[in-house]
Amino acid sequence: MDKKEVTIYVDGACSGNPGIGGWAAIVLFQNYRKDVYGREENTTNNKMELTAVINGLKALKFSCNINLYTDSLYVKYGITKWINTWKMNGWKTSNKKSVKNMTLWKELDNVASQHEINWKWVKAHDGDKYNEEADSLAKKAIIDA
């Protein structure tokens, strides 16, 4: 069976860093759109960026081919470059320190392994329709208690 082609846009936001955070994912498949978003207390922007990706991927019911757009180079480089070295080094950085947000990175690694993902970086606040909408949803999640 051919895998479905899906597009996901993600974003995270934080009011203060750390502070109250919001995350959002927009999942697009053919003419279907699903928005998933939420908030957390006392978190960081990077945690919200990771949480957005994890929840966007968890919204899928089966293995897919995904074009995933993020404006976070931390997420893109972390999952495409740094993670393999972290795993080989027992989740330690090159400075022998524990990887920050290790639990989220491990969860992302697990859910991402179920799909074929083309990780794409998009410049934030640069007019990309769905990136702007994901940003708005993440910010809305912060305010909507």
Side-chain angles (χ1 to χ4, degrees):
M1 184 168 110
D2 288 336
K3 289 185 179 180
K4 305 290 187 218
E5 299 286 334
V6 174
T7 300
I8 300 176
Y9 280 82
V10 297
D11 205 6
C14 218
S15 181
N17 198 17
I20 300 170
W23 58 266
I26 299 171
V27 180
L28 304 166
F29 171 68
Q30 295 175 350
N31 292 327
Y32 174 80
R33 173 179 169 156
K34 181 175 186 172
D35 296 343
V36 290
Y37 53 94
R39 73 189 302 256
E40 287 185 25
E41 304 291 323
N42 194 30
T43 189
T44 66
N45 191 64
N46 283 342
K47 286 181 181 177
M48 293 296 86
E49 296 282 357
L50 288 165
T51 301
V53 179
I54 291 164
N55 284 292
L57 294 173
K58 283 183 171 181
L60 302 172
K61 305 289 186 227
F62 41 83
S63 180
C64 298
N65 289 324
I66 302 166
N67 284 314
L68 194 143
Y69 292 85
T70 177
D71 60 18
S72 169
L73 289 173
Y74 172 71
V75 169
K76 183 173 189 279
Y77 291 155
I79 196 66
T80 62
K81 295 181 179 186
W82 307 331
I83 198 164
N84 292 326
T85 304
W86 293 337
K87 290 195 289 188
M88 286 189 319
N89 293 336
W91 290 95
K92 301 283 185 198
T93 65
S94 57
N95 297 331
K96 308 292 186 234
K97 295 181 180 175
S98 291
V99 171
K100 287 184 181 176
N101 305 315
M102 180 183 357
T103 303
L104 290 170
W105 282 113
K106 285 181 177 181
E107 186 174 5
L108 175 54
D109 187 38
N110 181 44
V111 294
S113 70
Q114 301 166 34
H115 305 282
E116 293 294 325
I117 303 174
N118 185 9
W119 298 91
K120 296 179 176 268
W121 180 78
V122 60
K123 185 174 181 182
H125 313 293
D126 200 40
D128 183 288
K129 175 185 176 182
Y130 292 113
N131 176 258
E132 299 286 346
E133 289 180 22
D135 179 65
S136 293
L137 284 171
K139 289 176 179 170
K140 179 181 186 303
I142 292 173
I143 327 174
D144 293 352

